[in-house]
Amino acid sequence: MIQENITLVEQKIADACREAGRKCQEVSLIAVSKTKPVSLLQEAYDAGARDFGENKVQELLDKIPQLPKDIRWHLIGHLQRNKVKSIVGKTALIHSVDSLRLAEEISRESVKQQVETDILIEVNVAEEESKFGVSISDAQALVEQIAVLPGVHIQGLMTVAPNVENAEENRIIFRKLKELSVDIAKKNIDNVNMNVLSMGMTGDYAVAVQEGATCVRVGTGIFGQRDYTKRQSEQFQAAERHGI
């Protein structure tokens, strides 16, 4: 099933790229594997997936040693400052940096551990009260503040669009994030790239690709519906193992 799902998602990405006049190589598919057992991640890996996204630090740390070393791990969920020391050096990209204080903590731990950490700035484009992220109006100032921190490198922007039935409703959200990235790129800020746009999930990733996404985060479309209750005890055990 997972092989077929990945093939279908990749085909839809290819179709969206063709409609937008883009190359498929410009878009990375992140398999959002939160709450899923290692066996399903291995199945996705065997089907060709190499980028996996997790929401919880403890779950990511639990899965890393059980899976192939060439996986690129993405932390896509909200990151608390007290979890930073556990995750620095373990990810290809942290998607959810939305404050200077969080970035400063990542910088401190990166310097301490002698690693370089790539991050995205999370922008709450839709201004939903239930979502994390900096506002569009404050995003550039935050980028400029974080840009001077050692050990941290801004690679682009991320947003979590509203949960809608019609994906077209989110087109304006994705378009605004793309426009913001272009505006920031024009400033030529040292230590800042706007090469990555992480936007689009199972219900709207095709629209996101048409609007410039370079990373789409697909969970249900690959693994099926999540069973959160089944994973609660496993997550608790993982947190205890890692002391977080």
Side-chain angles (χ1 to χ4, degrees), residues 53-86:
E54 291 285 337
N55 275 46
K56 304 290 187 182
V57 169
Q58 60 266 31
E59 190 173 355
L60 188 153
L61 294 176
D62 193 50
K63 288 174 176 176
I64 286 176
Q66 301 183 64
L67 288 156
K69 303 300 182 186
D70 62 336
I71 285 177
R72 293 178 293 271
W73 293 97
H74 299 253
L75 185 69
I76 60 177
H78 179 65
L79 176 59
Q80 296 173 307
R81 294 196 307 280
N82 63 353
K83 303 286 181 68
V84 167
K85 64 181 179 182
S86 301

Side-chain angles (χ1 to χ4, degrees), residues 15-17 19-20 22 168 171 199 205-213:
D15 291 343
C17 284
E19 291 173 12
R22 303 179 63 193
E168 283 296 327
R171 186 177 294 277
M199 59 187 192
Y205 65 85
V207 173
V209 169
Q210 291 170 358
E211 294 299 329

Side-chain angles (χ1 to χ4, degrees), residues 93-111:
L93 193 61
I94 297 174
H95 290 232
S96 49
V97 177
D98 60 357
S99 72
L100 179 59
R101 292 180 70 190
L102 175 57
E104 287 173 338
E105 188 63 31
I106 295 172
S107 174
R108 277 192 291 270
E109 284 297 329
S110 298
V111 171

Side-chain angles (χ1 to χ4, degrees), residues 115-239:
V115 297
E116 303 293 319
T117 302
D118 287 337
I119 67 171
L120 303 180
I121 304 303
E122 181 173 0
V123 184
N124 188 351
V125 178
E127 299 183 350
E128 293 182 279
E129 291 186 5
S130 60
K131 299 280 179 66
F132 293 100
V134 64
S135 67
I136 286 182
S137 59
D138 293 336
Q140 184 176 314
L142 180 60
V143 166
E144 291 173 344
Q145 290 174 311
I146 294 174
V148 301
L149 299 176
V152 174
H153 307 288
I154 297 174
Q155 300 296 342
L157 307 175
M158 181 270 249
T159 198
V160 178
N163 183 15
V164 296
E165 290 187 11
N166 181 1
E168 283 296 327
E169 294 179 35
N170 280 337
R171 186 177 294 277
I172 187 63
I173 302 297
F174 302 139
R175 189 167 293 173
K176 285 181 177 179
L177 192 71
K178 173 64 175 180
E179 291 170 351
L180 177 62
S181 74
V182 170
D183 290 343
I184 293 175
K186 287 178 181 177
K187 300 295 182 180
N188 292 315
I189 305 167
D190 288 343
N191 192 35
V192 173
N193 289 313
M194 283 291 128
N195 297 330
V196 179
L197 273 185
S198 174
M199 59 187 192
M201 298 187 289
T202 293
D204 55 19
Y205 65 85
V207 173
V209 169
Q210 291 170 358
E211 294 299 329
T214 66
C215 288
V216 293
R217 311 180 303 271
V218 180
T220 303
I222 292 175
F223 296 105
Q225 295 293 332
R226 302 184 183 92
D227 183 357
Y228 289 98
T229 57
K230 183 179 178 182
R231 293 289 293 171
Q232 283 180 348
S233 62
E234 295 176 30
Q235 289 173 358
F236 177 77
Q237 293 168 5

